[in-house]
Amino acid sequence: MALPTVAIIGRPNVGKSSLLNALAGSMISIVEPTAGVTRDRVSTFIGRDDRYFELIDTGGYGVVDADDLSSHIEQQILQAIESANLVIFMVDIRDGLVPLDEKIARLLRKGEFDVIGVANKADTAKMFPAAGEFSKLGFGEFLCISAKNNLNKAVLLDKVFDKLSTLESAKPAEPAMKIAIIGKRNVGKSTLVNAMVGSERVIVSETPGTTRDAIDVRFEKDGKTIIVIDTAGIRKKSKIANSIEFYSYVRVTRSIRRADVVLLLIDAATAVSQVDKKVARFIVDECKSCILVVNKWDLAKDSAVTGDYEEYLTKLLPGLKYAPIAFTTATEAKNIQSVLDLAAEIFKQTTTWIPTAKLNKAFEIIKTEKIGGGKGGWPKIYYATQIAVNPITILMFVNNPELFEENYRRFIIGRLRELLPVEEVPIRLLARSHRK
């Protein structure tokens, strides 16, 4: 069942992202005093008493974008309001009525949209009378709110739920899998998202750094709901130019942590960079399942073969040698479906519960192959059990955990991958003293 959708529209810097965050109760959109921070449609689900709607934050209408993306942003806004059941039209009570507000009002009247008008930044009741002039726009009285201070948030939610009361609404389906798309700037992340979803869901531009928020895009595949998270392009720390880029990077790391499978995009047309290596290390440290997606393969296939390129990646990103490698051309949607199928296979591996008998049989084999012995004695494994999935976490009961140094643990993990049906996912190995 499709959920009702509510789009927030307004000129730049009236507080649309602050309102989305206030209604959602968490920091979803980046909030900055700079006009034009939000470019794509950022959305979240709002629920109350078994009723739900999708709330969509849009870019500022009429923004003069520094990267010449104004027409792209406007296109995303129009798509959002055309698909919406209800529009929240936001103005700034401190600035009063300005020509751009009137332009937006004409657009909304022309489309005969159902509209709730809100006057934001009304931090005290003394300011409320100033909202009177907005009734000229033709949408009745504007509700005075302060997204920053949560003033009249409940009143606004009541109005929204009241307007949507005739529409069917149920709790959105829990996603079967969350996929985060990560990589440096201009590697083709947004193009890949659109190719997966089959529509222009996020802005694609040759301008590096187009995506700033982490955008959750939901779609259906084989009857299951999948969330793909499009993230901002990562730069070297020394080149993070402003707080917008800093918040974008924080959201990238958060997206990796909440994903089931991470697609690390590598640009086939350029050498593997320090940024690629840094992100790979973060994925390894977080024990995340990963697919190395070599994008723009059409630009490199004449000068390299897949086998050689796989060797090259394994050499430069040794921590991710367990990760499968896929070759795509996102602009032509080449190999995209097989990447989605591969992600499903990886997710299946990382959520596998290995029977204890099978696990201990593998350990019996490992124990006969190599013993790491050192000054403190010889490491002994008595038995092991799996205690978690995603990542697969195995607890070994041993004579002395300190004897299980890093190299020996790496050897055990490598052999477990070969002996069990989990060869392409990370394994977290814990050791506990048998006596305890």
Side-chain angles (χ1 to χ4, degrees):
M1 181 198 298
L3 277 183
T5 57
V6 178
I8 307 170
I9 185 174
R11 58 190 177 81
N13 240 17
V14 292
K16 298 180 295 298
S17 298
S18 295
L19 180 62
L20 179 115
N21 292 340
L23 294 176
S26 65
M27 283 290 286
I28 292 167
S29 273
I30 294 176
V31 176
E32 263 283 309
T34 315
V37 172
T38 304
R39 290 167 165 178
D40 292 289
R41 286 172 280 159
V42 180
S43 71
T44 188
F45 294 115
I46 308 286
R48 190 176 74 181
D49 302 332
D50 297 326
R51 296 196 62 78
Y52 292 83
F53 64 88
E54 184 179 9
L55 183 64
I56 302 167
D57 180 19
T58 62
Y61 190 86
V63 69
V64 179
D65 186 79
D67 297 322
D68 295 328
L69 295 171
S70 301
S71 62
H72 292 283
I73 295 167
E74 202 160 300
Q75 192 56 40
Q76 290 288 319
I77 295 167
L78 294 175
Q79 284 180 22
I81 60 174
E82 278 165 13
S83 66
N85 302 98
L86 176 65
V87 174
I88 295 175
F89 176 18
M90 183 180 266
V91 294
D92 185 332
I93 200 165
R94 293 177 187 177
D95 291 346
L97 186 58
V98 299
L100 201 45
D101 295 329
E102 291 171 335
K103 188 178 177 184
I104 294 167
R106 285 195 293 275
L107 173 79
L108 293 173
R109 283 199 303 271
K110 189 177 163 188
E112 297 181 354
F113 297 104
D114 198 1
V115 175
I116 293 175
V118 295
N120 192 30
K121 306 184 188 177
D123 297 328
T124 63
K126 283 181 189 171
M127 301 172 79
F128 288 9
E133 66 173 326
F134 296 113
S135 56
K136 293 177 193 167
L137 295 171
F139 301 107
E141 273 185 44
F142 273 57
L143 173 67
C144 292
I145 66 163
S146 171
K148 197 166 126 191
N149 301 330
N150 283 331
L151 181 75
N152 274 342
K153 180 174 99 170
V155 178
L156 175 57
L157 271 177
D158 285 343
K159 282 187 136 202
V160 170
F161 278 110
D162 191 45
K163 287 260 192 187
L164 301 175
S165 60
T166 57
L167 299 173
E168 278 191 55
S169 146
K171 190 173 183 179
E174 282 298 315
M177 175 171 58
K178 293 193 285 292
I179 302 170
I181 300 184
I182 310 293
K184 61 192 177 195
R185 301 172 76 171
N186 232 24
V187 73
K189 295 181 294 299
S190 297
T191 307
L192 183 67
V193 171
N194 289 338
M196 283 179 169
V197 178
S199 69
E200 291 297 307
R201 180 57 185 82
V202 282
I203 294 174
V204 174
S205 163
E206 291 301 312
T207 308
T210 303
T211 304
R212 285 160 165 183
D213 281 288
I215 315 290
D216 279 22
V217 181
R218 292 171 75 96
F219 66 102
E220 300 286 317
K221 179 171 163 49
D222 303 330
K224 290 177 180 169
T225 299
I226 295 171
I227 287 182
V228 60
I229 309 161
D230 185 18
T231 60
I234 303 168
R235 318 174 73 175
K236 274 187 181 172
K237 206 170 189 177
S238 59
K239 290 190 176 174
I240 291 180
N242 51 40
S243 55
I244 297 170
E245 288 194 9
F246 171 74
Y247 290 128
S248 294
Y249 178 71
V250 169
R251 280 170 164 73
V252 170
T253 57
R254 197 189 293 165
S255 299
I256 292 171
R257 287 191 180 109
R258 69 189 178 95
D260 298 308
V261 179
V262 177
L263 305 189
L264 174 53
L265 256 66
I266 305 288
D267 189 335
T270 62
V272 169
S273 67
Q274 286 306 116
V275 171
D276 295 322
K277 291 176 184 175
K278 179 187 174 184
V279 179
R281 274 195 301 274
F282 187 80
I283 292 168
V284 173
D285 291 345
E286 290 295 318
C287 236
K288 283 291 171 184
S289 298
C290 178
I291 300 171
L292 292 167
V293 179
V294 182
N295 194 32
K296 307 184 186 178
W297 187 242
D298 55 318
L299 304 178
K301 65 177 190 285
D302 296 334
S303 55
V305 293
T306 54
D308 291 345
Y309 202 91
E310 283 171 7
E311 272 182 43
Y312 164 71
L313 282 184
T314 305
K315 190 177 166 188
L316 289 178
L317 308 174
L320 284 174
K321 66 180 177 192
Y322 64 83
I325 299 169
F327 296 85
T328 61
T329 303
T331 49
E332 297 168 23
K334 267 190 188 164
N335 224 9
I336 304 303
Q337 284 310 309
S338 58
V339 169
L340 277 172
D341 293 337
L342 183 55
E345 167 56 31
I346 295 301
F347 183 55
K348 188 178 168 187
Q349 282 185 42
T350 197
T351 50
T352 298
W353 282 100
I354 303 155
T356 303
K358 194 172 182 179
L359 184 62
N360 282 290
K361 197 172 177 184
F363 271 99
E364 288 303 320
I365 295 167
I366 292 166
K367 283 192 280 186
T368 64
E369 292 176 335
K370 182 180 177 182
I371 292 290
K375 289 176 190 170
W378 298 91
K380 280 185 187 170
I381 304 164
Y382 297 108
Y383 63 96
T385 185
Q386 183 179 349
I387 58 171
V389 293
N390 200 10
I392 285 176
T393 307
I394 293 165
L395 175 61
M396 304 181 295
F397 290 90
V398 302
N399 60 336
N400 180 357
E402 288 174 18
L403 299 175
F404 287 76
E405 35 73 347
E406 196 56 39
N407 279 343
Y408 189 34
R409 284 182 189 236
R410 268 204 293 268
F411 165 75
I412 295 171
I413 289 169
R415 287 299 282 130
L416 287 172
R417 283 208 191 97
E418 290 166 10
L419 295 165
L420 298 167
V422 290
E423 62 271 24
E424 296 171 308
V425 294
I427 296 171
R428 188 176 271 154
L429 196 59
L430 308 174
R432 185 182 289 172
S433 171
H434 183 47
R435 282 189 295 279
K436 288 180 187 173

